[in-house]
Amino acid sequence: MIDFSLTLEQRILQTKARDFAQREIIPIVQIIEEFNNPQIEPWDFCQNVFYKGAELGFTSLLVPKEYGGLGRKCVDLVLILEELGAADTSIACSYFNLTAAMSLFVTRAGTNEQQKRILSHLRAGQPQLYSAAESEPNVATSDLFCPLPDAKIGIKTFAQRDGDAYILNGQKSSLVTNVGIADAYFIIARTDLDKPLRESMSIFYVPADTPGLKFGKRTEMIGWKTSHHAPIHLDNVRVPAENLLGQEGEAAKLLMLLPEVAIGLAASYVGLARAAYEYALDYAKKRVSWGRPIIEHQAVALKLADMMINTQAARLTVWEAANTADTDPQLAAMVKAPAAKTFAVDVAIKNAQTAVEILGGYGVTKESQAGKFLADACIGYSCDFTREVLRLGLVSCL
Ligand SMILES: Cc1cc2nc3c(=O)[nH]c(=O)nc-3n(C[C@H](O)[C@H](O)[C@H](O)COP(=O)(O)OP(=O)(O)OC[C@H]3O[C@@H](n4cnc5c(N)ncnc54)[C@H](O)[C@@H]3O)c2cc1C
């Protein structure tokens, strides 16, 4: 028997996240969207939101209690992220999901010493914002899914062993999230340029103040106006060997065992799909044509029904993926997480597009939120791998 009902604890968590999103996120998003000025630094507005959410445990939710986390499950995370994503997908994904997932990564991939040291801020009640840098300019990030054993394919940032340290040199792409504002970076570099990418990537924990790390100008995007993305230049960045997570060449394997990143993104996009549906529903009840609210015209009503049905289907796919992450992380990583992320983003894009249609001319004005939904939804297509490579990766596991 399958029970989809939430426990009392989960309903409390969900309500807490919903209240937080209404009270803390929505007013900030309105300010940033209203200014719509590339000179505005979103982090100036969002950092309070991040620290308040971190205090509620949204970034340490999955970390075991002995390291200062809440020791909760991925199913709990997706409940929170749907609520945050309904208010603003980029705040949900960039600040909360990424930091929550990388904190969990330290507990999965780190030694006891690394877990204690890197996560010590949690016990001290001083949340840290994380960034994970893999993609590079002039290299297709999809190369990570390349099955060819050609060592020339893939990222070029190199980590050279030097006594008790590694020296990192290279560049990371202008899309990397939280670059320039994060407290610490998880940087992926090759430790052997003669081996294929998947066998030669290693992952290093690098505090933001490490000499040689240089951050570029913030990248303007069509949506996700509340987040900060920028390039990194690594110029002889000396990283102690004890900051290598896992063994040399293990990054691909370790990251594959972190389905929570994609599942968290998917949950945030269910939030966006729901918000677009509720927004269009509200409009359709108020807008009158031919003497009655447009929801009473079947052409509009059927669109709204599809939006609701698709949102519910995406939510269940995400819940199932989250449940699998808690019980069978490998199956979740290989199949369920990419499926959930692809489907949830598709539904979000479709719902946002339908919201634009239901709002008629107003759908394309800055006055309405439909355009923001659409722009934010489209960003989900390529954020954390494109729908094509995710599906190709998934098929290779079937
Ligand atoms: C909002 C946002 C946040 C991001 N944050 C981060 C971050 O924090 N850290 C980080 O490292 N990166 C980040 N990225 C980069 C992101 O991971 C990549 O943009 C994404 O993986 C796509 O890679 P690419 O842009 O290099 O596209 P490419 O790999 O160049 O692909 C281009 C097109 O070709 C298609 N394609 C490529 N190969 C194949 C194939 N074999 N078969 C079929 N189709 C194929 C793709 O589907 C796509 O349509 C972020 C991107 C965005 C948009």
Side-chain angles (χ1 to χ4, degrees):
M1 173 105 162
I2 297 171
D3 183 3
F4 290 106
S5 55
L6 301 178
T7 63
L8 176 64
E9 231 184 351
Q10 286 172 326
R11 277 187 278 127
I12 291 171
L13 198 62
Q14 194 180 41
T15 307
K16 202 192 266 187
R18 192 172 298 164
D19 291 346
F20 175 82
Q22 291 294 323
R23 196 179 57 247
E24 305 290 346
I25 298 183
I26 287 178
I28 294 293
V29 177
Q30 277 166 355
I31 293 171
I32 296 174
E33 293 275 340
E34 227 163 77
F35 282 134
N36 194 22
N37 177 349
Q39 305 308 321
I40 283 183
E41 171 50 65
W43 182 237
D44 289 345
F45 294 87
C46 293
Q47 52 186 306
N48 266 341
V49 176
F50 173 74
Y51 292 123
K52 284 182 185 168
E55 264 173 38
L56 294 173
F58 295 169
T59 54
S60 56
L61 196 77
L62 304 178
V63 173
K65 286 184 180 163
E66 68 255 42
Y67 298 114
L70 297 189
R72 303 287 290 254
K73 303 282 188 196
C74 189
V75 169
D76 302 317
L77 181 71
V78 300
L79 295 175
I80 291 177
L81 287 170
E82 178 179 329
E83 299 307 324
L84 307 189
D88 188 65
T89 330
S90 90
I91 287 181
C93 296
S94 299
Y95 303 127
F96 291 106
N97 183 45
L98 183 55
T99 301
M102 294 319 292
S103 306
L104 174 68
F105 179 73
V106 175
T107 71
R108 293 247 174 95
T111 59
N112 278 343
E113 183 280 321
Q114 286 173 327
Q115 293 173 13
K116 274 191 201 133
R117 176 166 50 90
I118 297 174
L119 299 174
S120 60
H121 65 276
L122 289 178
R123 284 237 192 96
Q126 291 164 339
Q128 297 223 320
L129 180 71
Y130 286 151
S131 172
E134 171 192 357
S135 57
E136 298 185 358
N138 309 319
V139 177
T141 318
S142 308
D143 281 350
L144 185 64
F145 285 76
C146 179
L148 302 174
D150 182 347
K152 288 195 202 69
I153 293 175
I155 61 164
K156 301 287 179 282
T157 295
F158 187 59
Q160 172 79 54
R161 181 84 198 217
D162 181 35
D164 59 358
Y166 287 85
I167 312 292
L168 273 59
N169 279 290
Q171 284 183 52
K172 295 292 170 187
S173 92
S174 59
L175 289 166
V176 180
T177 307
N178 298 339
V179 166
I181 59 169
D183 297 293
Y185 294 80
F186 293 85
I187 294 181
I188 297 190
R190 304 274 286 267
T191 34
D192 187 339
L193 289 172
D194 296 325
K195 282 189 182 162
L197 184 65
R198 277 170 164 264
E199 294 163 31
S200 58
M201 290 195 303
S202 304
I203 183 159
F204 298 89
Y205 170 77
V206 187
D209 57 2
T210 306
L213 269 188
K214 292 171 193 155
F215 310 122
K217 198 171 140 274
R218 178 172 167 252
T219 306
E220 259 290 284
M221 295 198 290
I222 58 166
W224 278 36
K225 298 289 180 190
T226 49
S227 59
H228 185 118
H229 307 259
I232 313 182
H233 297 270
L234 298 111
D235 186 7
N236 288 319
V237 178
R238 191 176 179 86
V239 180
E242 70 242 29
N243 284 11
L244 168 70
L245 286 146
Q247 303 297 313
E248 278 190 15
E250 270 194 347
K253 193 178 92 188
L254 292 171
L255 288 170
M256 281 298 159
L257 286 178
L258 198 67
E260 288 81 359
V261 181
I263 295 171
L265 275 165
S268 309
Y269 272 92
V270 172
L272 194 158
R274 185 185 95 198
Y277 158 66
E278 287 172 351
Y279 192 74
L281 177 67
D282 185 57
Y283 188 84
K285 285 179 178 169
K286 291 179 184 149
R287 183 71 168 176
V288 174
S289 92
W290 294 9
R292 47 193 169 131
I294 59 171
I295 194 171
E296 290 180 22
H297 300 301
Q298 279 190 353
V300 176
L302 293 176
K303 284 183 183 180
L304 286 161
D306 285 345
M307 290 170 96
M308 192 281 275
I309 293 166
N310 288 335
T311 305
Q312 179 63 3
R315 181 180 296 118
L316 291 180
T317 309
V318 170
W319 283 14
E320 203 251 339
N323 189 49
T324 311
D326 291 333
T327 53
D328 185 348
Q330 191 149 2
L331 177 65
M334 301 299 203
V335 178
K336 306 285 180 172
K341 193 252 169 175
T342 306
F343 187 53
V345 170
D346 282 356
V347 168
I349 293 174
K350 183 77 188 119
N351 275 12
Q353 190 191 329
T354 310
V356 171
E357 291 169 10
I358 290 177
L359 267 86
Y362 291 104
V364 293
T365 65
K366 288 297 266 180
E367 217 177 284
S368 103
Q369 272 192 48
K372 168 182 160 46
F373 291 138
L374 191 55
D376 287 351
C378 288
I379 285 179
Y381 161 80
S382 57
C383 174
D384 197 39
F385 304 112
T386 68
R387 67 192 304 281
E388 285 75 28
V389 298
L390 285 177
R391 286 180 306 150
L392 289 172
L394 187 160
V395 163
S396 70
C397 302
L398 297 180

